[in-house]
Amino acid sequence: VHTDGTKKAIKKEDLDKYGSQVRIDKDGEMIEFDKIVDYMEVHVPIPFLPKSIVLVDTPGLGAIYANHALVTMRHLAKSSAVIFVMDPANPLTDAEIGFLEKITDITSNVLLVMTKQDNYNESYIEILGEKGFKERFDKGKIEILPMSSLCLRTVSDEGLEQEERNIFYEVSCFEKVKAELLNMIESTIALSKNVATFNALNGYNTRVMSAVAEID
């Protein structure tokens, strides 16, 4: 996507050409384009989702490039649900608090996930409560779901016994996060269908009223 809003489709092998400084440095010369690239979108189909539901993995707020945060905010404005991932090694910043405020102004359907669950810190719940977020979340409850991607990845280690794999899987807390994520997707799908039904009925009502007006 260019800075003037126009788009250009590219192939997978051209991704690094448009978005990697490593590729430019390796080739030893600057790659020139007719237009300035603002950001790139990589679309991956998810078979089990209806066409009206789209999952967007945004760059986040701590990205190297400032315009990444702008891209995130563009998608946020159209979001029905948000998964907010936190790192217990870093305190909540003012930028993240402000971002959460913008999120909860748009939707209360927010899933809070904390990585590195072995360092899980419940003080985050107190901080969010002090910032007035309790009534902003769905059902008026602040719940942070800890999980460990490292433990989850260890489950695939072929050198482990099945019992050991089961322990790592349970410790990863992935099952709880998975269940909550599926609940979020189901509620979002239901909301999407309700909106589509309402729009269809509203359009039908408009046509009927126009027809009645013409008869009168």
Side-chain angles (χ1 to χ4, degrees), residues 14 23 28 32 36 53 70 83 104 108 117 133 145 172 189:
D14 290 329
R23 164 73 179 272
E32 296 184 1
I36 299 176
I53 301 295
L70 296 177
I83 304 168
T104 50
S108 62
Q117 60 92 10
F133 279 97
L145 301 176
S172 75
I189 290 174

Side-chain angles (χ1 to χ4, degrees), residues 174-186:
F174 175 71
E175 195 62 35
K176 177 69 180 296
V177 175
K178 176 184 175 182
E180 292 297 329
L181 177 59
L182 290 176
N183 286 336
M184 170 181 277
I185 291 175
E186 289 174 0

Side-chain angles (χ1 to χ4, degrees), residues 76 79-82 102-110 136-137:
L76 174 62
S79 300
S80 299
V82 176
K102 290 183 174 66
I103 289 174
T104 50
D105 281 342
I106 295 171
T107 175
S108 62
N109 197 4
V110 179
R136 285 175 170 261
F137 291 123

Side-chain angles (χ1 to χ4, degrees), residues 25-193:
D25 293 341
K26 181 180 178 181
D27 292 347
E29 60 182 27
M30 180 64 68
I31 302 174
E32 296 184 1
F33 304 105
D34 296 334
K35 297 181 179 181
I36 299 176
V37 177
D38 187 12
Y39 62 93
M40 296 188 296
E41 293 179 346
V42 181
H43 297 267
V44 180
I46 305 178
F48 64 84
L49 287 181
K51 292 182 179 180
S52 58
I53 301 295
V54 178
L55 295 180
V56 180
D57 183 11
T58 65
L61 300 178
I64 297 176
Y65 302 104
N67 69 325
H68 285 184
L70 296 177
V71 173
T72 298
M73 296 307 298
R74 290 188 197 124
H75 286 294
L76 174 62
K78 300 178 287 185
S79 300
S80 299
V82 176
I83 304 168
F84 190 80
V85 181
M86 296 177 289
D87 182 352
N90 301 302
L92 280 173
T93 64
D94 290 339
E96 288 174 317
I97 292 295
F99 184 65
L100 272 174
E101 289 176 346
K102 290 183 174 66
I103 289 174
T104 50
D105 281 342
I106 295 171
T107 175
S108 62
N109 197 4
V110 179
L111 186 64
L112 300 175
V113 178
M114 180 172 285
T115 59
K116 305 172 185 175
Q117 60 92 10
D118 52 323
N119 293 322
Y120 174 63
N121 191 339
E122 290 188 358
S123 65
Y124 276 65
I125 296 179
E126 297 178 5
I127 294 173
L128 292 175
E130 292 172 357
K131 296 291 183 178
F133 279 97
K134 187 173 183 179
E135 64 278 4
R136 285 175 170 261
F137 291 123
D138 191 24
K139 301 178 182 178
K141 179 182 179 182
I142 299 177
E143 181 179 10
I144 299 177
L145 301 176
M147 70 169 290
S148 171
S149 56
L150 179 60
C151 288
L152 187 62
R153 186 175 63 184
T154 304
V155 175
S156 62
D157 187 346
E158 296 181 356
L160 295 178
E161 298 291 337
Q162 185 59 48
E163 183 177 352
E164 292 176 304
R165 294 182 184 180
N166 292 341
I167 292 175
F168 275 107
Y169 185 79
E170 183 177 354
V171 172
S172 75
C173 296
F174 175 71
E175 195 62 35
K176 177 69 180 296
V177 175
K178 176 184 175 182
E180 292 297 329
L181 177 59
L182 290 176
N183 286 336
M184 170 181 277
I185 291 175
E186 289 174 0
S187 63
T188 304
I189 290 174
L191 176 61
S192 175
K193 290 183 177 179

Side-chain angles (χ1 to χ4, degrees), residues 189-204:
I189 290 174
L191 176 61
S192 175
K193 290 183 177 179
N194 288 339
V195 171
T197 301
F198 173 80
N199 290 336
L201 290 175
N202 191 45
Y204 177 75

Side-chain angles (χ1 to χ4, degrees), residues 13-25:
E13 54 267 26
D14 290 329
L15 280 173
D16 62 342
K17 176 181 177 182
Y18 285 87
S20 173
Q21 186 65 42
V22 174
R23 164 73 179 272
I24 296 174
D25 293 341

